């Protein structure tokens, strides 16, 4: 039992994050959640769908639902055209999703213990889908909880 | 351990299915030792495995069942009760297995009662003496084995099963062979001799040897061959394969596309040959993988013998179930979806279709009823029919039911063929059973079946002949995974419509024969003999905003011609306007993401040859979003009422002649039916003329009194009905039904008419129904001369469509601008939304919000407080009058008191004037 605990904390200490930039803000996603980074093309618009859904597209034979992160977080996107924005592919409940963003940055390793709780005055949309913040040297990095983000969208549709 | 348990569960469940079927067979052929042996062996295997895995509860139950079967095998007479009890214990075993699967542990509990019953039937114990230990029973049954030996043997079995899967379906005999039986080795040998993958081959070959080994070998060989050629594959593996193949097909298509570009170039040949091969292999691979998803339809049937058997006992009717074509294959997804509808229909046949044995004998049929289930392929579809030789549908009874539920009128029924009438059993809430049995008759049956089958793109049909039987035929697609679809385009986006729902394509142009016309805002197309409601797909999908793109411009530049996709969903058809129609294509349906599931317009998505994803339109969803367009207009009060709401809108008017040649009109919604009676059936009671109509006397009123003297021919009449009271208004000739606005231009000088209006360009007299109704029934109400106040806005709340239709013309005749609503809430909402009125007339008894509450709400509203409110009620009593007074209602008038209403309106007018002046 004790051994297991040690293993856990060891693995937790150096968590890796993929950083993305959206509307000037830096966000991080745990790397084990991200399958792929790709440049989406050939979007299919889905009429009547929620505004957060940018469309569906074919990613190597699987149909992927593209989520416009700027619409979820309510920040203005730098690129308005979907085709010029990189996306991260994510698997949730056996379904494939793509998170559209402005810029995909480097992968950084951060110590779990340095993750701080979100400031209480963080706006609700953001607080709901993020687990905490890192203080990097130059700026702040908001860590997104991608499971909650997708779950929220799924529930929103069900309601 | 978990793997072992899972394997045990899968296997045991399969064995139990077989046992179910076999036991039912056995009950009918109690002397067939072969069946009994088969069942005995399966139960024994279950028992053995349970012991091995340490599942004492299951083991005890299986053991007791085995004991009872053992006595049968030893020649004890087989009883219904016995078989039922064994079936019960099989059910119990299934139940325990279910829990075992969930929790990985055998559930707590005792099956003592069941075990005792089994054992007492077996004659092992008497009465209900409790028995706790397996060992003790073992001793008492005096089987020639000790517990230890038994278990040892079972362990061997287990081992064998592990070592060699071939033996799985065979199990092992734990006793010495009887004469005429063969050992496993012999079976094996017989099997080796049989060759070829063809399943029937070993059967044929072994037939030659039948003399000594008889049917046993045949059976064994068959089982064995199936066991040998089948492996169990996880469904997910196949799904993945399917996806990979789809991917491969796409890549192949891309390659073909590229090679086409190289056509005519020198290096062309290099590609072509291998590409051609790749193409062929891909196609074959696709077909092969599709095949792995196919399962015999018999898998959906295997529960039916048991169900029919139980029903047959419960209902006390002997029933034979014949099943033909169980090997017909279809996609496993479809199979799952039709299982329940099929079960339901077989139940229906057993319960309603097949008569009691006495009835059957009287009708000259054999005592035993037959239900025949058959399946076969027909052009990309599978046809399943469920036929019984029972009493068939009683058309007369159906008619009564249809009438009593108000689904169609008598004259409509008159015009229908028997088979059209039969189709009403697919109507929601329809049941012909006189009494509700535990099995069926609750009226939630066939419509659900129909819905389920239509959901998977199938159709259902019914043929029935009274006294001979009923056949239900179901046609379903072989697979849901690949469907033919029509590719269309709207606002620059492509969509697929399942071909099954598309009945035809029509090109319409405003100048040509086929053009789109409008009724108010609703677009319709005259298509042959019917009026087809039309929707624009761009509107449904709210894609009009996208019209900044280039694509719609083409359409706009060419407004003269559009495509209408005529779509059929169930009994309803409608047209969809699209910008462009491409071609039909076989598409691979992929489920939609959870985030899009609630967009009911789509049923899935697919990847096209060029790699783009397109959405598949769901005809059901489209149909629902159109609303109640043209299905059963007679039954669709709400919809009709909506049209009447604003009286400036067009309404349906019935045009007829009476007395002179001038056309006369009456709002069609007031008329219940149109009838024609022969003069000879008219009876006279004093001055009154009457006809027998639906077992009642209906008074006749003549628009033109001269009609009374007519002695020959037929009299056309308009029937007005309200509740129990029915009146026939005799006219000379019914001319037409037209849509137009009803605006009275000139007041009438003639009794019985409200005035004249211009209808379809002709001066037409508008009939005052209120004048004629009292002629039939004096209490209907009295006639009063016209008053003509200035046009004022009047809000009229009334829930009964009849009264609304009756009083609205009176109010319009009296010069009011009338807005009619269905209840208090609707009225109040209008007011809150800023509508202004001069006066309010309201019914008291209404759903949602009654007249009193409405009055109270209005009195608290800043604008509405001053409006006089006149209450109209069927119940005028001191209490309600007092309440009306306390709410300061302007007046309280009985519904039939037209004079009173017009008087009150006149008085209120002065009141309004005073208010305005002040």
């Amino acid at each position: 039992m004790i051994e297991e605990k040690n293993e856990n904390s060891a693995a937790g200490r150096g968590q890796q994050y993929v950083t993305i930039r959206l509307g000037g803000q830096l966000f991080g996603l745990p790397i084990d959640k991200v399958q792929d980074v790709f440049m989406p093309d050939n979007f299919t618009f889905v009429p009547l769908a929620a505004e957060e859904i940018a469309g569906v597209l074919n990613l190597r034979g699987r149909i992927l639902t593209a989520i416009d992160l700027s619409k979820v977080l309510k920040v203005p996107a730098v690129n308005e055209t979907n085709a010029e924005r990189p996306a991260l592919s994510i698997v949730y409940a056996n379904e494939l999703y793509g998170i559209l963003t402005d810029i995909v940055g480097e992968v950084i390793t951060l110590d779990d213990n340095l993750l701080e709780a979100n400031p209480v005055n963080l706006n609700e949309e953001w607080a709901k889908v993020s687990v905490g913040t890192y203080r990097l040297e130059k700026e702040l990095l908001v860590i997104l909880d991608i499971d909650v983000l997708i779950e929220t969208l799924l529930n929103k549709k069900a309601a | 351990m978990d793997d072992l348990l899972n394997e045990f569960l899968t296997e045991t469940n399969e064995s139990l299915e077989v046992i179910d079927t076999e036991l039912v067979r056995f009950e009918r052929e109690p002397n067939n030792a072969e069946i009994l042996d088969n069942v005995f062996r399966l139960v024994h295997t279950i028992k053995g495995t349970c012991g091995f895995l340490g599942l004492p509860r299951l083991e005890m139950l299986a053991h007791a069942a085995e004991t009872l079967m053992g006595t049968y095998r030893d020649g004890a007479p087989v009883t219904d009760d016995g078989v039922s009890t064994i079936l019960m214990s099989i059910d119990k075993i299934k139940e325990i297995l279910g829990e075992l699967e969930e929790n990985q542990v055998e559930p707590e509990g005792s099956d003592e009662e069941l075990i005792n019953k089994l054992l007492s039937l077996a004659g092992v114990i008497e009465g209900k003496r409790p028995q706790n230990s397996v060992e003790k029973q073992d001793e008492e049954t005096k089987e020639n084995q000790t517990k230890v030996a038994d278990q040892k043997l079972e362990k061997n079995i287990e081992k064998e099963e592990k070592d060699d899967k071939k033996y799985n379906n065979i199990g092992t005999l734990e006793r010495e062979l009887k004469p005429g039986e063969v050992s496993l080795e012999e079976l094996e040998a017989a099997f080796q001799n049989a060759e070829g993958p063809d399943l029937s081959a070993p059967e044929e070959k072994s037939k030659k040897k039948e003399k000594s080994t008889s049917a046993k070998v045949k059976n064994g060989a068959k089982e064995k061959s199936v066991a040998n050629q089948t492996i169990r594959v996880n469904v997910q593996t196949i799904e993945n394969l399917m996806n990979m193949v789809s991917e491969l097909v796409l890549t192949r298509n891309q390659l073909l596309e590229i090679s086409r570009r190289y056509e005519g170039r020198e290096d062309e040949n290099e590609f072509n040959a291998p590409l051609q091969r790749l193409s062929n292999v891909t196609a074959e691979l696709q077909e092969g993988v599709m095949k792995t998803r196919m399962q015999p339809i018999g898998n959906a049937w295997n529960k039916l013998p048991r169900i029919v058997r139980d029903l047959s006992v419960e209902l006390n009717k002997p029933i034979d179930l014949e099943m033909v074509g169980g090997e017909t294959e279809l996609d496993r997804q479809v199979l799952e979806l039709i299982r329940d509808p099929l079960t339901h229909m077989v139940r229906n046949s057993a319960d309603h279709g097949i008569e009691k044995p006495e009835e059957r004998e009287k009708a000259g049929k054999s005592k035993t009823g037959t239900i025949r289930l058959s399946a076969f392929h027909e052009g990309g579809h599978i046809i399943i029919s469920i036929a019984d030789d029972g009493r068939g549908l009683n058309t007369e009874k159906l008619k009564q039911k249809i009438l009593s539920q108000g689904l169609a009128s008598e004259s409509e029924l008159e015009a229908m063929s028997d088979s059209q009438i039969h189709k009403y059993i697919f109507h929601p809430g329809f049941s012909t059973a006189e009494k509700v049995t535990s099995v069926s008759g609750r009226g939630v049956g066939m419509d659900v079946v129909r819905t389920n089958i239509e959901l998977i793109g199938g159709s259902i049909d019914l043929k029935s002949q009274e006294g001979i039987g009923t056949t239900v035929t179901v046609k379903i697609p072989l697979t849901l995974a690949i469907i033919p679809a029509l590719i269309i385009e709207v606002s620059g986006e492509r969509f697929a419509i399942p071909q099954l729902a598309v009945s035809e394509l029509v090109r319409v142009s405003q100048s040509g024969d086929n053009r789109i016309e409008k009724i108010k805002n609703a677009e319709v197309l005259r298509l042959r003999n019917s009026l087809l409601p039309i929707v624009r797909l761009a509107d449904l999908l709210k894609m009009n905003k996208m019209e900044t793109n280039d694509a719609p411009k083409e359409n706009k530049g060419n407004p003269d011609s559009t495509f209408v996709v005529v779509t059929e969903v169930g009994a309803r058809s409608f047209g969809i306007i699209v910008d462009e129609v491409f071609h039909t294509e076989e598409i691979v349906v992929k489920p939609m993401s959870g985030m899009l599931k609630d967009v009911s317009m789509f049923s899935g998505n697919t990847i096209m040859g060029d790699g783009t994803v397109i959405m598949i339109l769901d005809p059901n969803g489209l149909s629902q979003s159109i609303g109640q367009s043209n299905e059963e207009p007679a039954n669709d009060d709400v919809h009709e009422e909506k049209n009447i709401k604003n009286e400036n809108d067009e309404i349906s008017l019935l045009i007829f002649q009476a007395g002179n040649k001038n056309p006369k009109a009456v709002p069609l919604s007031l008329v219940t039916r149109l009838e024609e009676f022969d003069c000879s059936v008219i009876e006279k009671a004093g001055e009154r003329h009457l006809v027998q109509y639906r077992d009642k006397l209906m008074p006749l009123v003549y628009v033109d009194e001269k009609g009374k003297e007519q002695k020959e021919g037929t009299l056309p009449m308009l029937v007005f009905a309200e509740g129990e009271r029915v009146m026939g208004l005799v006219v000379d000739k019914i001319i037409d039904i037209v849509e137009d606005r009803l605006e009275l231009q000139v007041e009438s000088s003639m009794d019985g008419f409200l005035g004249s209006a211009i209808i379809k360009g002709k001066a037409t007299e508008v009939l005052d129904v209120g004048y004629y109704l009292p002629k039939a029934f004096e209490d209907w109400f009295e006639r009063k001369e016209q008053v003509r106040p200035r046009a004022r806005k009047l809000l009229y709340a009334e829930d009964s469509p009849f009264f609304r239709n009756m009083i609205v013309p009176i109010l319009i005749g009296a010069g009011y601008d009338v807005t009619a609503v269905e209840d208090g809430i609707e009225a109040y909402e209008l007011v809150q939304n800023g509508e202004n009125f001069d006066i309010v007339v309201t019914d008291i008894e209404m759903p949602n919000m009654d007249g009193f509450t409405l009055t109270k709400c209005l009195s608290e509203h800043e604008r509405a407080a001053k409006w006089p409110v006149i209450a109209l009620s069927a119940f005028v009593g001191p209490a309600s009058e007092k309440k009306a007074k306390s709410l300061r209602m302007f007046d309280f008038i009985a519904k039939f008191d037209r004079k009173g209403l017009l008087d009150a309106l006149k008085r209120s007018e002065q009141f309004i004037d005073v208010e305005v002046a002040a």
Side-chain angles (χ1 to χ4, degrees), chain B residues 182-193:
Chain B
V182 284
S183 72
L184 273 174
E185 288 75 34
E186 279 175 85
L187 270 177
E188 186 76 38
F191 187 65
Q192 295 293 337
N193 288 335

Side-chain angles (χ1 to χ4, degrees), chain B residues 700-712:
Chain B
L700 298 185
V701 177
Y702 293 80
V703 176
D704 177 19
E705 292 287 327
K706 277 181 279 176
K708 275 193 173 176
E709 282 136 41
Q710 193 177 336
K711 294 279 184 290
E712 283 170 16

Side-chain angles (χ1 to χ4, degrees), chain B residues 865-877:
Chain B
K866 287 178 183 171
W867 305 343
V869 179
I870 298 175
L872 269 188
S873 178
F875 309 99
V876 184

Side-chain angles (χ1 to χ4, degrees), chain B residues 247-477:
Chain B
E247 175 86 349
L248 186 61
V249 171
L250 293 179
T251 320
R252 190 246 346 237
N253 292 352
Q254 278 169 349
L255 279 175
L256 285 175
E257 193 70 44
I258 295 170
S259 92
R260 251 174 246 137
R261 267 185 258 147
Y262 279 78
E263 237 165 77
R265 279 164 58 166
E266 271 177 35
D267 45 1
E268 175 193 359
N269 288 346
E270 250 180 286
F271 278 118
N272 271 357
L275 197 56
Q276 194 57 48
R277 224 170 49 230
L278 175 71
S279 182
N280 287 344
V281 171
T282 310
E284 267 172 47
L285 186 61
Q286 187 182 3
E287 201 176 306
V289 174
M290 285 302 297
K291 244 184 205 163
T292 61
R293 290 167 55 102
M294 300 301 239
Q295 284 193 329
I297 192 169
N299 289 1
W301 288 357
N302 50 20
K303 286 201 171 66
L304 294 176
R306 168 77 189 275
I307 288 166
V308 170
R309 184 257 172 206
D310 286 355
L311 275 178
S312 144
V313 173
E314 186 187 331
L315 303 168
N316 208 6
K317 306 172 185 173
I319 301 172
D320 266 343
L321 180 68
E322 284 177 20
M323 302 196 286
V324 186
E327 71 285 348
T328 315
E329 288 189 324
L330 77 170
D331 194 274
R332 49 173 288 277
Q333 200 185 351
V334 183
L335 191 82
E336 288 306 315
L337 290 168
I338 57 154
R339 195 190 293 265
D340 288 345
L342 273 184
T343 310
H344 191 94
M345 284 188 280
V346 169
R347 278 196 174 152
N348 257 349
S349 286
D351 192 23
H352 304 315
I354 306 284
E355 314 91 325
K356 294 261 177 216
E358 312 86 66
E359 274 176 62
R360 290 185 66 88
E361 272 197 325
K362 243 184 254 168
K365 299 184 195 176
S366 76
K367 261 190 184 177
T368 311
T370 308
I371 299 175
R372 194 184 150 91
L373 209 58
S374 56
F376 57 92
H377 281 151
E378 196 184 83
H381 285 84
I382 184 166
I383 316 276
I384 305 168
S385 81
I386 300 109
D388 65 59
D389 64 345
R391 59 170 75 93
L393 288 174
N394 185 328
T395 314
E396 283 311 308
K397 223 166 159 189
L398 273 176
K399 276 187 185 171
Q400 281 169 22
K401 195 91 185 175
I402 293 166
L403 279 177
S404 74
Q405 296 200 354
L407 300 176
S409 71
E410 197 151 339
S411 54
E412 282 169 329
L413 284 179
E414 214 59 19
M416 282 186 207
S417 67
D418 278 7
S419 76
Q420 276 173 308
I421 291 169
H422 293 160
K423 294 227 165 68
Y424 272 92
I425 71 161
F426 296 119
H427 207 91
F430 202 89
S431 174
T432 49
E434 277 157 6
K435 58 179 179 212
V436 173
T437 68
S438 67
V439 190
S440 36
R442 291 184 201 86
V444 285
M446 294 308 275
D447 68 304
V448 178
V449 169
R450 188 187 71 173
T451 316
N452 282 343
I453 284 171
E454 281 174 1
L455 265 183
I456 55 172
S459 62
I460 186 164
D461 196 21
L462 177 131
K463 281 200 188 80
S464 178
Q465 218 175 336
E466 206 169 339
I468 294 175
T470 307
T471 305
V472 182
T473 313
V474 176
K475 186 176 170 186
I476 40 178

